[in-house]
Amino acid sequence: MTLTAHIKARIAAQGPMRIDEYMTTCLLHPTMGYYTTRDPFGAAGDFITAPEISQMFGEVLGLCIAQTWLDQGAPTPFTLAELGPGRGTLMADALRACRNVPGFIEAAEITLVEASPTLRAIQTETLAGHRVTFADDLEALPEQPLFLIANEFFDALPIRQFLRDGSGWRERQVGLHDGSLTFGLAPAQAQPALTARLDTTQDGDLIESCAAIAPVMDTIAARIAAHGGVALIVDYGGWQHTGDTLQALRDHQKVPPLGTPGDADLTAHVDFAALAQAGASCAHSALTPQGVFLERLGITQRAQNLATKLTGAALETHIAAHHRLTHPEEMGNLFKVMALYPQGSAPPPGVDP
Ligand code: SAH
């Protein structure tokens, strides 16, 4: 059975499917899900992420973490965690960049939160030589300082969409029409969890909400508030957006989100306001554009340094990678960095307070 047939049968039997269920099924179905069955990254895959563009991304993020660790008195041991590590490239680059920071690698207990068995296998290979623990979620994290990175993790978490109708909300769902998957709207209902959004929206506005954020951010913030540490969250999105941002990418092209379930990546813009609110036991930085963040932390010096060893096509690729990560018209502005850190302590280097 294909994933499309599976989803259609589920809708035929039980009625329209919420978008969060659709996303989870498409991305993480145990045998037919997008992430569970493949390595989607890079030129041969469907999309490319910052750590796959250049080693400099992971190096700079790693050094930001290590500097914050030093600024907080080099607590030992500590958890070095990454959410949704993809191929493990970012963590490998970060660890290599930090190997000369005295005591850092020895004190780090590396934990990777990854849902896909296929990607866990690749991460194990990429990080050979390091002791790595896998976790399904953050609940099991030890009570100790937490230094955490999440790049393009939150955009993969399942969202629900609601259209404002008076003081109620009509949920957008996936149904069947003439045998094809199609979007529809459920009847209007009160949604107590969305009461605060009644002040910031008008009739006809569409909003997105992600229930998975709260438990994740609450746990991260609790560890950092109690024991110290920092969370560096990098993603595309903004501060409480309105409108439909569900998108599917296949072979580096946008495709209709209902067109090829399980064969395209599905993401939505991240609402950083929801992240900050769920992590309110910590202070948070302002949203800082990725390009500004990387420049402040010295990516250009690093790029120049690496360039001295390169010629020809390799040099051109390297220069293009630097441009792609930092330029405002490429990833520099679209992607934002937000840090979570203990109340009363200084934010990590690179972010706007
Ligand atoms: N950070 C990586 C990969 C981003 S893609 C990079 O920048 O290259 C999203 C990652 O999150 C993948 O590794 C995917 O398998 C993982 N993921 C998606 N949903 C998840 C969930 N609910 N729990 C844990 N990992 C998840």
Side-chain angles (χ1 to χ4, degrees):
M1 193 190 250
T2 64
L3 194 59
T4 307
H6 168 79
I7 291 170
K8 286 182 180 173
R10 147 70 188 82
I11 294 171
Q14 296 171 44
M17 188 182 260
R18 280 171 21 186
I19 289 177
D20 56 348
E21 184 187 347
Y22 178 75
M23 279 183 86
T24 304
T25 308
C26 289
L27 295 178
L28 296 173
H29 183 280
T31 55
M32 296 181 282
Y34 181 73
Y35 284 118
T36 26
T37 55
R38 79 196 70 211
D39 168 7
F41 307 100
D46 292 305
F47 60 96
I48 187 156
T49 56
E52 303 299 333
I53 292 172
S54 167
Q55 68 184 73
M56 297 184 291
F57 186 77
E59 290 171 350
V60 169
L61 261 71
L63 290 169
C64 175
I65 292 278
Q67 184 60 54
T68 310
W69 177 74
L70 290 170
D71 291 343
Q72 293 187 13
T76 301
F78 70 95
T79 305
L80 179 61
E82 185 176 354
L83 305 182
R87 278 187 183 154
T89 309
L90 193 165
M91 184 58 84
D93 292 336
L95 291 168
R96 192 185 57 254
C98 295
R99 73 187 163 208
N100 293 329
V101 178
F104 182 80
I105 303 281
E106 296 73 21
E109 295 180 0
I110 303 166
T111 301
L112 306 179
V113 178
E114 175 56 66
S116 157
T118 306
L119 292 176
R120 280 188 184 200
I122 297 173
Q123 291 154 16
T124 304
E125 226 170 273
T126 311
L127 293 166
H130 293 283
R131 210 162 11 92
V132 167
T133 306
F134 286 101
D136 291 325
D137 55 50
L138 291 161
E139 298 298 318
L141 282 187
E143 293 289 344
Q144 63 188 24
L146 172 63
F147 291 77
L148 177 140
I149 296 175
N151 182 59
E152 289 210 50
F153 169 76
F154 287 98
D155 64 16
L157 294 184
I159 56 150
R160 293 169 71 180
Q161 293 184 325
F162 297 93
L163 190 81
R164 170 104 182 248
D165 182 346
S167 60
W169 300 92
R170 300 186 68 186
E171 181 155 17
R172 198 158 175 244
Q173 296 176 315
V174 182
L176 275 175
H177 185 73
D178 289 341
S180 298
L181 296 177
T182 170
F183 285 113
L185 288 169
Q189 265 190 327
Q191 294 286 349
L194 300 179
T195 305
R197 296 303 303 265
L198 290 173
D199 298 334
T200 57
T201 51
Q202 300 179 339
D203 228 17
D205 280 349
L206 185 116
I207 64 160
E208 299 179 329
S209 77
C210 175
I213 285 176
V216 174
M217 289 306 291
D218 183 52
T219 309
I220 293 171
R223 288 295 187 286
I224 294 174
H227 307 288
V230 71
L232 282 183
I233 297 164
V234 189
D235 229 308
Y236 59 113
W239 202 261
Q240 247 189 20
H241 59 270
T242 52
D244 169 23
T245 73
L246 182 68
Q247 78 167 28
L249 271 187
R250 189 176 185 189
D251 207 6
H252 303 269
Q253 304 289 325
K254 275 193 193 183
V255 295
L258 303 183
T260 47
D263 283 324
D265 186 36
L266 278 180
T267 58
H269 281 201
V270 172
D271 177 7
F272 284 91
L275 297 181
Q277 195 188 8
S281 58
C282 280
H284 67 85
S285 71
L287 283 194
T288 307
Q290 170 175 301
V292 172
F293 174 79
L294 295 173
E295 290 294 359
R296 282 180 183 154
L297 294 176
I299 195 171
T300 298
Q301 285 104 299
R302 179 63 180 141
Q304 285 164 350
N305 197 316
L306 285 170
T308 59
K309 294 168 209 128
L310 299 171
T311 53
L315 179 59
E316 268 165 38
T317 306
H318 171 64
I319 292 168
H322 173 260
H323 191 261
R324 189 154 175 203
L325 290 177
T326 57
H327 197 276
E329 274 159 27
E330 301 231 21
M331 294 172 84
N333 233 356
L334 181 64
F335 281 78
K336 314 279 195 232
V337 185
M338 186 175 81
L340 226 63
Y341 51 96
Q343 307 269 8
S345 74
V351 294
D352 293 316

